[in-house]
Amino acid sequence: MRKKWLWRTLTVIAGLVVVTVLVFTVSPWPSALIIRQVFQDGAKKTAAIMAPYAPTSGVDSVLDVQYATDSTQPHVKASDFTQLDVFYPTGTTTQLGTVIWTHGGAWISGNKSNDRSYFEILASKGYTVVGLNYTYGPEANYPTAVFELNQAHQFLLDNAEKFHINPSKIVLAGDSAGAQLSSQLAALITNPEFAKEMDLTPALSPERLQGVVLNCGVYQLTSLIGAKGILGWGDDVSLWAYTGDRDISSSPAMAQMSTINHVTGNFPATYISGGNADPLTAENSKPFAAKLQSLGVNITELFWPADYTPPLPHEYQFKLNLDAAQTALNETLSFLNERIGSASQQ
């Protein structure tokens, strides 16, 4: 009797193991949700570091504005994702140079609210700052996010006066996956052949786009293929969830997402940075900066010596308790003032 009970128990356990392995193999959802939780926990910690540096007054906001009501994915309720926040100096009555920021999160997580303190800091210096949400994977696959963000740009142009936006003084910005998305949109705006390839009509014209701010981004997606260990597994799962392609090495999305393949000499002036302890800096940020420089694009780069201490991790620019992050903030503000002008210095 005991042998039968033991055999049945082992059979059930074995069956559960097989089912679990199959689920993780045939769908990105289980692994993506695990990674998402890790990113969300990290984002909360980073937000807590930024919070003491945010202004306690002098910035007004309009939160959770819906910029799209439909989705290209029939199972996705667009209103759950397609919202934006707007920040501007208290008492603003004019249209200001505007920073449109796309959050990171490995294309499968993140929220505009995570970076609110940073947006408030930028707004306090005389800018309108917009934080964008978008539908990420696996809820929706590429290129849904690109088209949604383009919708957001059109919405902001249509409501420029209401939100104190100068439509001729726009800077696109982003961090991590958000940097990739912002760079891709900038390439679509300035490269008509690329826009034609994606069948996308950019909302912003090259004349309106005065610059891009790129932090810790990915610009050559093939650099993520074949990495070992937990980071390599995370990259594979995130890209599977976002692109919808299990074999990411043969996914056509990877080539389109690789902005380094689509930039021209018309790409806007660029601020680009990455930490010395972030693998993406050597594999993506520095090669992308070099490519832009070779095309004659105006580049402001902030990189750090290999032996800089403390080592600067991915998304170091948000850890405002670090001297390097404060330097990055000041460099970003200098770039913004040069490109779109600060109301506080006019």
Side-chain angles (χ1 to χ4, degrees):
M1 189 70 177
R2 284 185 177 180
K3 288 183 178 180
K4 286 185 179 180
W5 177 84
L6 179 61
W7 175 251
R8 289 174 181 173
T9 301
L10 291 174
T11 301
V12 170
I13 292 173
L16 290 173
V17 169
V18 170
V19 170
T20 300
V21 170
L22 284 174
V23 168
F24 275 77
T25 301
V26 302
S27 170
W29 274 94
S31 298
L33 292 180
I34 293 171
I35 297 169
R36 181 178 295 175
Q37 187 61 53
V38 172
F39 270 81
Q40 289 173 339
D41 291 344
K44 289 179 181 178
K45 293 176 181 177
T46 301
I49 292 173
M50 282 193 285
Y53 298 89
T56 56
S57 63
V59 174
D60 288 343
S61 62
V62 183
L63 306 179
D64 299 328
V65 178
Q66 195 70 47
Y67 69 78
T69 57
D70 59 349
S71 173
T72 59
Q73 302 289 326
H75 63 285
V76 174
K77 184 180 178 183
S79 59
D80 291 341
F81 292 90
T82 53
Q83 294 182 337
L84 57 82
D85 294 341
V86 185
F87 304 87
Y88 48 85
T90 299
T92 297
T93 58
T94 58
Q95 293 170 276
L96 306 177
T98 299
V99 181
I100 303 175
W101 197 290
T102 302
H103 70 76
W107 305 282
I108 62 170
S109 67
N111 192 284
K112 56 187 171 52
S113 63
N114 296 334
D115 306 329
R116 177 171 180 169
S117 293
Y118 202 82
F119 300 157
E120 290 174 335
I121 293 170
L122 297 182
S124 73
K125 303 302 182 181
Y127 302 100
T128 294
V129 181
V130 181
L132 299 180
N133 275 356
Y134 52 92
T135 311
Y136 40 63
E139 281 85 349
N141 296 138
Y142 177 86
T144 298
V146 178
F147 280 79
E148 286 179 350
L149 293 169
N150 191 53
Q151 281 183 280
H153 296 170
Q154 186 61 60
F155 177 86
L156 292 169
L157 292 177
D158 293 341
N159 294 274
E161 186 172 355
K162 176 181 179 180
F163 294 125
H164 308 294
I165 293 168
N166 185 332
S168 296
K169 293 186 176 182
I170 302 291
V171 166
L172 297 184
D175 57 283
S176 193
Q180 182 277 319
L181 284 161
S182 292
S183 72
Q184 186 175 359
L185 282 156
L188 286 161
I189 293 164
T190 55
N191 183 347
E193 289 301 315
F194 185 32
K196 182 178 179 181
E197 176 187 328
M198 289 196 64
D199 195 23
L200 180 145
T201 302
L204 292 172
S205 64
E207 294 76 21
R208 296 186 188 277
L209 182 59
Q210 303 302 319
V212 292
V213 171
L214 305 175
N215 290 290
C216 305
V218 185
Y219 315 104
Q220 187 164 336
L221 275 293
T222 53
S223 68
L224 302 181
I225 297 175
K228 305 298 182 183
I230 190 69
L231 291 178
W233 170 79
D235 290 339
D236 288 348
V237 170
S238 297
L239 288 168
W240 177 16
Y242 180 59
T243 65
D245 294 327
R246 181 67 183 91
D247 182 8
I248 57 174
S249 63
S250 61
S251 171
M254 298 288 280
Q256 281 192 345
M257 291 169 64
S258 297
T259 310
I260 199 168
N261 297 333
H262 307 290
V263 291
T264 69
N266 295 322
F267 197 80
T270 300
Y271 166 90
I272 187 168
S273 186
N276 64 329
D278 182 355
L280 295 180
T281 300
E283 297 174 358
N284 283 270
S285 295
K286 288 184 176 180
F288 190 52
K291 176 65 177 290
L292 293 176
Q293 286 177 328
S294 74
L295 294 169
V297 176
N298 183 345
I299 294 292
T300 299
E301 60 181 32
L302 180 60
F303 299 124
W304 304 86
D307 59 354
Y308 182 90
T309 56
L312 302 175
H314 187 62
E315 298 278 48
Y316 85 94
Q317 78 284 342
F318 287 149
K319 296 176 172 58
L320 294 175
N321 57 330
L322 299 175
D323 290 342
Q326 289 292 331
T327 298
L329 174 60
N330 290 331
E331 290 291 314
T332 299
L333 289 168
S334 295
F335 176 81
L336 294 176
N337 186 48
E338 176 188 343
R339 301 310 306 172
I340 56 177
S342 167
S344 64
Q345 297 185 23
Q346 293 177 0

